[in-house]
Amino acid sequence: MDFVSKSVKKIDGMDIATGKPLYTDDLCHNPLVIKILRSPHAFGKIINIDTKKAKTLPGVECIFTHEDVPKERFTLAGQSYPEPSPYDRLILDEYVRYVGDEVAIVAAVDEKTALRAMKLIKVDYEVFEPVIDFEEAHTHGSTIHPEDDLKVNFPIGTDTDNNIAASYEVYTGNVEEELEKSEVIIEKSYYTQAQAHGMMETYRAYSYMDHNNRLTIVSSTQIPFHVRRIVAKALQIPQSKIRVIKPRIGGGFGGKQTASVEIFPALVTLKTGKAAKIVYDRKETFSCSTARHPMKMTVKIGADTDGTINVIDIKALSDTGAYGEHAWTVFSVAGNKVLPLYNKAKALRYGGNVLYTNKMPSGALRGYGVTQGIFSLESAINELASQLNMDPTILREKNLIREGDSHPLLCGSTDNNPVTLTSCTLHECIRRGKELIKWDEKYPAQVISDSKVRGVGMAITMQGSGIANIDTASALIKLNDNGFYTLLLGSTDMGTGCDTILCQMAAEVLSTDMDKIIVHSADTDISPYDTGSYASSTTYVTGNAVIKAATDLKEQILKVGAEYLYESVENVSFDGIYVKTNSGKEISLDEISQNLALGPQGETLMGKGTFGGDTSPPPFIAGFCEVEVDKETGKIDLIDYVAVVDCGTVINPNLARIQVEGGIVQGIGMAMYENVAHAKNGQMITNTFMQYKIPCRKDIGNITVDFQSSYEPTGPFGAKSIGEVVINTPPPAIAHAVYNAVGVNVRSLPITPEKVLMGILENK
């Protein structure tokens, strides 16, 4: 292949590196500036709000309160309609449900004036006792959502009287019977914390009315088509009156799968007719958007003494914060995309509740629940191996799913039709990872000095490639009048390089140079529909759509070329430059395109392709690490991390490697450093990078990435996803390595020196 599996440079890399104006705030033209007055209380009701004095301040354009906005409830979650997240929000509500919840929208000629106006607004609150601990939420005296118009599109177990946003349970086999028959049982509880996205570009959007009096929103978003629907519902206007444009994005990590900011400038522009923008500062990005769902999982495993795992039973609780964005889906994924790893078990069960609390809402974040589920399950598997006195790599090899196996929880399965795994090199990933980390030489630990010990640890993971039977993407590719192409996409490149790899795929099919393909994404007026860049879908779902579109166009070029050459289409071929016959006649693509463009017989050739999979083939990773622990202080140094990846065919090795390295570092952050923390009154105390630590280069040691490719028959050129799976292994692998070094099982993230030292002291 000429382009696929080649380390092609990113097509927008130089523009980004040289600072060209590509991002949302670069594109604004003298807009009104919006600031949000926010609640100082975790839970309360607005009794009175006085904006008269603020409105008289010169330069203030408008101020909106809950009395001025539509009363239609909606969700900010960017999901396909009908969304599984509850409609539990208003644009502005008389209730405030977390510190930072929106109270008033202020629009002024500049930021300084808007900030001055906010200080002149007087608000009287009736303050209620907040619900902060999600483990106590269902029995707490406060009801966070007392309204009677909260709506769900289908039953997800919502019980607002008990602060339950959603419930879920899935099982196979007879759990109790298999537990009773098992020779060894372990049962442990694990806690994962809220994690912030930490993307470089904060949340922002810009809006204006175009010359046809349509609302145009320019936004740093992963979900332009969902934003159009969400804004239309919230503002009660037709989607046809809204256009959403996505310029370049400075990161998202799932945060921009929630429409956190677009409604505010849209409302101001609709009310005033003037352009408006909102740019969240870093504190607002930390404390007034979304973070990863904190979870508690109690894992019970029944096994035989030879290492055969008979049953896995997980009871879970999740904290969705003040609103239920992604509540049910993140929770269900935490079990469904984790348990199929151990498909030799005769019984599996996963279930529990997602609770409302008076904290910033939780939402989508890279890993989308699998990160939480993998930490709990893989930590329990490592503890089982220890109890069995068995090498954990051997325990896993004995019980893991393999290519050709079926499992009822694999995405796309139905009641009597479990999906069959058609690509998997997980066992090879483990074998290669052991070689790279020198597992057999180092396991479980090596004494370095009187105070320092090095331990090795490991974990495995899987994810998915899009959402089966829900995600869909379309692509269009047009032949222009000089023999070059325009590829129209609705997907979002968040900096990952997906525009580049999709261009590689189109170039491969059309046998043309990549610089002859213009990539245009995403503009809801122009681009074909795409659910958006989330759920590890772009390479797999949009990639398949691109191949279909390019193949369609190639067939049209062959047909037209054959007509010009007076030959049947079966007797011609296309090499990217010429359509040729077997007898030597030829016509160039340039000539074909110009002939098509001119005269009364002109025609535009447009290839189209749409893909929505009925399966979600999982990528796999085996992660290994070595840590050095100081027994006197509990300090942990990460020495080495090895990730061996099966993502099917690697479309662009350089970009894939960067994805893996970035995800591993983000996983290391969750394992060792990051923790969104709140005070007892609900105030977030980690709302700047001074308090919220993410790992820097000196914190992460050496990272080694290797690929054990497979060929996924349903994937584009055999590819699967890679975006999310890469974050999952560091928390359980590092916890395992710490245990092997000093005998301390840290079951609550992050794994801090304090927790390790306390464990060492308790063991003495």
Side-chain angles (χ1 to χ4, degrees):
M1 289 187 281
D2 294 323
F3 298 99
V4 169
S5 295
K6 300 292 189 299
S7 291
V8 177
K9 291 180 180 177
K10 287 173 69 173
I11 58 178
D12 55 356
M14 188 55 70
D15 287 345
I16 292 172
T18 55
K20 289 190 175 177
L22 304 167
Y23 297 88
T24 298
D25 202 30
D26 298 330
L27 307 176
C28 298
H29 302 290
N30 196 31
L32 295 171
V33 175
I34 296 172
K35 302 300 287 185
I36 305 293
L37 180 68
R38 299 186 178 281
S39 169
H41 306 293
F43 192 23
K45 186 175 183 180
I46 298 170
I47 304 302
N48 185 54
I49 181 165
D50 183 354
T51 62
K52 294 186 187 69
K53 192 172 183 181
K55 285 179 175 174
T56 63
L57 189 69
V60 171
E61 180 71 22
C62 57
I63 297 174
F64 301 123
T65 72
H66 68 90
E67 296 170 345
D68 308 313
V69 298
K71 302 301 181 186
E72 179 74 17
R73 292 200 179 272
F74 58 94
T75 176
L76 291 176
Q79 299 173 301
S80 294
Y81 181 84
E83 303 97 331
S85 297
Y87 292 174
D88 54 12
R89 280 184 178 269
L90 297 174
I91 299 173
L92 296 170
D93 201 334
E94 61 181 332
Y95 286 93
V96 289
R97 297 183 172 88
Y98 73 98
V99 176
D101 208 352
E102 295 90 6
V103 172
I105 302 166
V106 179
V109 294
D110 54 37
E111 182 177 9
K112 184 178 179 181
T113 303
L115 291 171
R116 286 181 62 198
M118 286 205 301
K119 295 178 180 176
L120 299 176
I121 299 173
K122 302 299 181 188
V123 188
D124 297 323
Y125 297 93
E126 180 184 2
V127 179
F128 306 135
E129 183 184 354
V131 182
I132 304 300
D133 186 341
F134 72 101
E135 292 188 70
E136 299 175 356
H138 71 291
T139 58
H140 200 283
S142 295
T143 300
I144 296 171
H145 282 276
E147 67 271 16
D148 56 11
D149 58 346
L150 184 149
K151 179 188 171 187
V152 292
N153 285 314
F154 49 84
I156 57 170
T158 305
D159 175 7
T160 53
D161 289 342
N162 292 301
N163 293 321
I164 296 174
S167 297
Y168 180 77
E169 184 180 64
V170 65
Y171 64 91
T172 64
N174 191 321
V175 171
E176 279 71 24
E177 186 177 294
E178 294 302 328
L179 282 169
E180 193 169 325
K181 289 192 296 187
S182 295
E183 297 167 342
V184 179
I185 293 176
I186 69 159
E187 183 175 8
K188 304 292 180 185
S189 292
Y190 303 89
Y191 288 83
T192 58
Q193 78 281 38
Q195 183 184 26
H197 300 85
M199 76 289 278
M200 291 179 70
E201 184 195 31
T202 61
Y203 297 92
R204 55 199 59 203
Y206 162 60
S207 62
Y208 58 91
M209 302 302 290
D210 72 6
H211 61 285
N212 289 319
N213 206 33
R214 292 176 70 235
L215 178 65
T216 301
I217 302 169
V218 182
S219 175
S220 178
T221 179
Q222 297 173 224
I223 46 162
F225 288 91
H226 292 332
V227 165
R228 184 176 66 179
R229 187 184 66 252
I230 291 167
V231 171
K233 181 171 180 55
L235 297 180
Q236 292 290 282
I237 59 175
Q239 289 192 52
S240 60
K241 296 292 185 183
I242 301 173
R243 176 185 185 184
V244 179
I245 299 171
K246 172 215 66 71
R248 306 255 43 100
I249 294 180
F253 303 119
K256 294 171 185 173
Q257 194 194 338
T258 299
S260 293
V261 296
E262 291 85 353
I263 289 170
F264 306 125
L267 174 70
V268 170
T269 294
L270 206 60
K271 295 272 190 179
T272 67
K274 296 182 179 180
K277 77 167 183 178
I278 188 166
V279 176
Y280 272 13
D281 61 23
R282 188 57 68 178
K283 278 191 176 180
E284 286 178 303
T285 295
F286 268 118
S287 57
C288 308
S289 55
T290 60
R292 186 185 298 283
H293 290 78
M295 289 191 188
K296 174 191 178 184
M297 290 192 181
T298 300
V299 184
K300 196 172 188 178
I301 302 177
D304 293 335
T305 53
D306 66 354
T308 302
I309 295 175
N310 300 317
V311 53
I312 301 174
D313 186 18
I314 303 177
K315 295 176 181 174
L317 290 177
S318 176
D319 182 352
T320 193
Y323 300 99
E325 274 93 29
H326 304 275
W328 184 80
T329 40
V330 165
F331 190 78
S332 59
V333 165
N336 291 347
K337 291 190 177 179
V338 170
L339 288 173
L341 278 169
Y342 297 96
N343 75 322
K344 305 299 187 292
K346 301 178 188 69
L348 300 168
R349 183 165 60 194
Y350 170 80
N353 296 322
V354 187
L355 286 310
Y356 283 118
T357 60
N358 290 116
K359 293 183 289 190
M360 185 182 78
S362 302
L365 207 163
R366 195 181 203 170
Y368 204 81
V370 179
T371 315
Q372 294 96 311
I374 281 292
F375 172 68
S376 305
L377 177 59
E378 286 298 281
S379 293
I381 293 290
N382 285 328
E383 294 204 48
L384 174 65
S386 177
Q387 188 163 328
L388 295 172
N389 196 27
M390 192 172 184
D391 185 323
T393 64
I394 305 299
L395 176 64
R396 287 182 171 85
E397 288 172 358
K398 188 179 180 71
N399 292 282
L400 287 181
I401 194 168
R402 290 177 179 267
E403 185 175 309
D405 289 353
S406 298
H407 196 284
L409 295 187
L410 283 172
C411 190
S413 293
T414 54
D415 285 346
N416 297 310
N417 188 22
V419 164
T420 298
L421 193 64
T422 51
S423 61
C424 177
T425 59
L426 181 55
H427 288 75
E428 284 301 303
C429 292
I430 294 174
R431 179 196 59 76
R432 180 61 175 152
K434 289 174 70 175
E435 287 178 0
L436 291 171
I437 201 78
K438 295 182 172 56
W439 181 266
D440 291 335
E441 299 171 30
K442 297 178 178 178
Y443 176 77
Q446 296 176 302
V447 176
I448 303 301
S449 68
D450 289 344
S451 63
K452 293 186 177 179
V453 184
R454 288 188 178 185
V456 291
M458 64 93 59
I460 57 171
T461 187
M462 59 179 281
Q463 194 90 26
S465 301
I467 307 172
N469 301 312
I470 293 178
D471 277 355
T472 187
S474 295
L476 300 172
I477 184 162
K478 177 167 66 82
L479 175 64
N480 295 305
D481 58 352
N482 195 224
F484 65 100
Y485 306 94
T486 300
L487 175 61
L488 297 167
L489 303 168
S491 58
T492 294
D493 190 332
M494 292 176 278
T496 58
C498 69
D499 282 357
T500 301
I501 64 162
L502 296 171
C503 185
Q504 286 179 254
M505 294 181 193
E508 190 71 51
V509 174
L510 293 166
S511 303
T512 190
D513 292 336
M514 288 177 61
D515 60 8
K516 287 192 174 181
I517 301 176
I518 302 163
V519 180
H520 192 288
S521 67
D523 178 333
T524 56
D525 270 12
I526 299 168
S527 307
Y529 181 81
D530 192 301
T531 46
S533 292
Y534 60 86
S536 298
S537 62
T538 306
T539 298
Y540 181 76
V541 180
T542 312
N544 271 318
V546 167
I547 290 175
K548 285 187 171 186
T551 302
D552 181 26
L553 180 57
K554 183 178 179 179
E555 290 172 353
Q556 294 179 49
I557 292 170
L558 282 167
K559 180 173 181 292
V560 172
E563 290 172 356
Y564 283 137
L565 296 171
Y566 302 102
E567 288 282 352
S568 66
V569 71
E570 293 79 15
N571 292 330
V572 298
S573 61
F574 178 52
D575 65 3
I577 300 175
Y578 294 97
V579 175
K580 299 177 180 177
T581 68
N582 296 333
S583 60
K585 291 189 294 183
E586 64 182 26
I587 182 170
S588 72
L589 180 65
D590 187 10
E591 190 175 354
I592 291 173
S593 64
Q594 297 208 38
N595 287 343
L596 288 170
L598 301 173
Q601 303 303 318
E603 182 183 3
T604 297
L605 298 190
M606 175 81 84
K608 61 181 181 181
T610 297
F611 180 80
D614 57 5
T615 64
S616 175
F620 297 92
I621 290 185
F624 293 80
C625 70
E626 182 176 15
V627 302
E628 182 174 284
V629 184
D630 188 321
K631 295 189 293 183
E632 295 178 347
T633 64
K635 183 174 181 291
I636 311 159
D637 288 315
L638 181 60
I639 306 300
D640 200 4
Y641 202 96
V642 170
V644 186
V645 185
D646 164 20
C647 59
T649 299
V650 183
I651 300 294
N652 186 319
N654 269 2
L655 295 181
R657 185 175 302 276
I658 292 167
Q659 281 272 56
V660 179
E661 291 174 347
I664 293 296
V665 172
Q666 206 168 20
I668 291 169
M670 184 169 175
M672 301 175 65
Y673 302 103
E674 299 181 47
N675 185 20
V676 176
H678 294 81
K680 290 183 179 178
N681 65 357
Q683 178 79 42
M684 186 182 291
I685 55 179
T686 52
N687 58 7
T688 76
F689 278 122
M690 292 297 289
Q691 292 89 25
Y692 188 84
K693 178 173 170 53
I694 61 174
C696 65
R697 184 64 189 90
K698 72 181 183 62
D699 296 318
I700 57 177
N702 181 55
I703 295 178
T704 301
V705 175
D706 196 23
F707 296 96
Q708 290 291 303
S709 300
S710 60
Y711 186 86
E712 170 52 43
T714 67
F717 298 102
K720 298 185 284 189
S721 75
I722 196 169
E724 292 187 280
V725 70
V726 291
I727 196 175
N728 298 333
T729 57
I734 292 171
H736 187 214
V738 168
Y739 170 77
N740 286 330
V742 294
V744 176
N745 269 312
V746 180
R747 302 187 182 95
S748 172
L749 295 177
I751 306 162
T752 61
E754 291 82 359
K755 293 176 184 175
V756 175
L757 183 59
M758 291 301 293
I760 292 172
L761 295 174
E762 288 173 6
N763 288 343
K764 281 186 176 179

